Amino acid sequence: LGPSLAIAYYVISEAPVAERYLYLPSAPFCLLLGYLAFVRIPAWLPAGARRTAMAAGAILLIGLGPVDGGATLARQKVWASDVEFWKDGVAKSPGEGLPHLHLGLAYANLKQSDAAEKEYLLAIDPKVEYDAEGRSIALNNLGMLYMGKDEPGSLDRAEAYFESSIRMRSDY
């Protein structure tokens, strides 16, 4: 369980820390809880208290089912679409660039360029915490948005965003 939680403390990839990373590591933990509740702890108790301890453990486990089920159903709404997922990320971390960038990408995939532009601009905002790589990607995406617009001056704006992206990260 310990090494699997390392992802919560170290940046391994740009994938957000999510519930799915804890599915497999939680299985041994649940088995350990069951073993303690129904085997080890009752073995330490006097014979008369064993049945009570096992009944209390069963009631606790049965009571956790609806609570966990309700939490799962509530969280399911967030996983309904990329936009909903990244809106949740932005709501929880408005001062981080990564969720703004990916929400912008989700909007761009839906051809909602105004909403995508707003999120890309938030990703490069100096008040937002983000590294040079993420900012250069957001600048590049802004360039791509303006390259696809059929408005006067949009190609000049696209070129300016591309140049800013390259200046920020010359190997990009």
Side-chain angles (χ1 to χ4, degrees):
L1 185 63
S4 63
L5 290 177
I7 59 165
Y9 299 103
Y10 301 104
V11 176
I12 295 173
S13 70
E14 285 208 350
V17 175
E19 301 92 21
R20 67 181 182 272
Y21 293 124
L22 297 177
Y23 289 158
L24 190 58
S26 68
F29 180 71
C30 292
L31 290 172
L32 176 65
L33 285 180
Y35 175 73
L36 289 174
F38 295 105
V39 178
R40 291 305 287 169
I41 293 176
W44 294 332
L45 297 173
R50 287 182 188 162
R51 187 174 288 242
T52 305
M54 290 178 70
I59 290 169
L60 179 67
L61 290 176
I62 290 169
L64 285 176
V67 172
D68 286 345
T72 299
L73 287 174
R75 207 56 195 142
Q76 181 180 348
K77 293 174 187 167
V78 172
W79 291 90
S81 70
D82 286 346
V83 170
E84 290 304 315
F85 178 81
W86 288 110
K87 276 184 178 179
D88 182 64
V90 165
K92 291 178 179 169
S93 300
E96 297 285 330
L98 179 75
H100 288 291
L101 173 67
H102 284 278
L103 181 55
L105 285 167
Y107 281 133
N109 288 337
L110 295 174
K111 310 290 187 234
Q112 297 177 14
S113 59
D114 291 340
E117 179 182 8
K118 177 184 167 225
E119 293 303 323
Y120 292 150
L121 290 171
L122 286 169
I124 62 171
D125 188 314
K127 297 175 198 157
V128 170
E129 190 175 319
Y130 210 15
D131 60 5
E133 180 181 3
R135 290 179 191 278
S136 67
I137 291 170
L139 287 164
N140 180 69
N141 291 353
L142 280 164
M144 294 300 290
L145 273 180
Y146 276 95
M147 213 168 87
K149 288 187 177 188
D150 190 24
E151 299 171 359
S154 62
L155 290 179
D156 292 334
R157 288 188 77 178
E159 183 179 9
Y161 282 124
F162 289 139
E163 287 173 356
S164 294
S165 176
I166 292 169
R167 272 195 310 275
M168 185 162 288
R169 220 176 103 215
S170 60
D171 63 332
Y172 186 50

